[in-house]
Amino acid sequence: MDDIDAIAVLQDPVRRRLYEYVVTQGREVGRNEAAEAAGVARTLAAHHLDRLAEAGLLETGSRRLTGRSGPGAGRPAKVYTRARTERAVSLPARDYRTAAELLAEAAEEAGLDAGLCAAARRRGEALRGSAAPCGGLEEVMEMLAARGYEPCLEGGEDAEDVRAEADGAAPGAAARVVRMRNCPFHAVAERFPPLVCGMNLALLEGLLGQDGPVRARMDPRPGECCVVVETSKNNGD
């Protein structure tokens, strides 16, 4: 299935809700969970999830959702995760990825890392405009989500902790960390990781501001953006 046909599969509103739920979890999702999240019957959810897998938008696997093993643990259930394949449609056809890879290759060979990071930081500042530096993780997550990073707050009580920080309180003793499940520069970063990850960090430093209570830093994990954003345990003090 080509890209335009695969993306067209998301036109169905139920199917799109199911897809969006699965990809935002950052883990395997079973049919019952997806059906409950989308507010549809399990059989309907199963049909749409399998259609998304056939289109190459989701990948499937199987595991026991009970967490038990051995006799009596039940049969493995079908689970779904976001597909690793990238889909894009441009009308008329464009090839910005090749241009980006050529520019990255030239910059790396010429040792232009510092200049690229400086330009990225300026671009981030320009995107932020006259707004003050981000004042807390709630604002950070909104800004990152708008730019496609798919941010998630690490820890169990995300919403409560973020609201507490937005009110100026320190919800916990440890630093709160926002991780990003998607890197908008993933394809180029795979080929030129030091160059592109450094550029990404500088861009976010400019976008979020370096004088507020949050800071961006490198902390790469497989399958995630190489940058995380955190506050200090005293909310930046």
Side-chain angles (χ1 to χ4, degrees):
M1 182 176 291
D2 61 26
D3 286 0
I4 194 166
D5 288 334
I7 293 172
V9 170
L10 295 172
Q11 184 175 0
D12 183 280
V14 174
R15 198 173 294 155
R16 184 164 183 173
R17 286 205 308 273
L18 288 163
Y19 174 78
E20 289 174 345
Y21 179 77
V22 171
V23 301
T24 55
Q25 300 313 299
R27 56 175 172 78
E28 295 174 327
V29 174
R31 288 170 167 175
N32 287 340
E33 179 186 348
E36 184 176 351
V40 298
R42 182 185 184 280
T43 52
L44 181 60
H47 166 74
H48 284 305
L49 289 167
D50 286 340
R51 184 73 183 91
L52 290 164
E54 291 169 6
L57 297 173
L58 296 179
E59 293 178 356
T60 63
S62 62
R63 66 179 177 88
R64 288 187 174 90
L65 300 178
T66 61
R68 302 192 305 271
S69 60
R75 295 176 59 189
K78 196 168 187 178
V79 291
Y80 302 82
T81 56
R82 188 215 304 264
R84 289 183 289 270
T85 305
E86 186 174 310
R87 301 282 187 173
V89 174
S90 176
L91 299 173
R94 297 288 187 260
D95 189 7
Y96 298 115
R97 174 174 171 175
T98 296
E101 290 178 347
L102 288 171
L103 290 168
E105 183 177 354
E108 189 171 75
E109 290 178 353
L112 299 178
D113 305 56
L116 177 61
C117 287
R121 194 171 288 106
R122 290 194 300 270
R123 174 58 64 91
E125 291 169 351
L127 291 170
R128 179 162 51 90
S130 60
C134 285
L137 295 186
E138 184 176 60
E139 187 179 349
V140 166
M141 293 182 72
E142 289 177 0
M143 188 173 292
L144 294 175
R147 302 201 65 82
Y149 282 94
E150 297 183 9
C152 59
L153 188 66
E154 191 172 72
E157 299 179 358
D158 296 357
E160 183 177 348
D161 286 343
V162 169
R163 284 194 295 270
E165 285 185 308
D167 294 335
R176 312 301 302 173
V177 177
V178 173
R179 296 193 175 271
M180 293 165 261
R181 296 195 179 105
N182 182 53
C183 173
F185 316 110
H186 173 72
V188 187
E190 277 196 318
R191 287 197 58 189
F192 308 95
L195 182 76
V196 177
C197 292
M199 177 201 75
N200 189 24
L201 174 62
L203 177 70
L204 290 176
E205 287 175 342
L207 183 65
L208 304 176
Q210 297 178 267
D211 301 323
V214 300
R215 72 182 185 106
R217 64 175 175 84
M218 289 286 197
D219 188 12
R221 282 186 181 179
E224 296 183 356
C225 177
C226 59
V227 179
V228 299
V229 182
E230 66 182 7
T231 60
S232 70
K233 65 179 181 179
N234 292 319
N235 205 25
D237 295 337

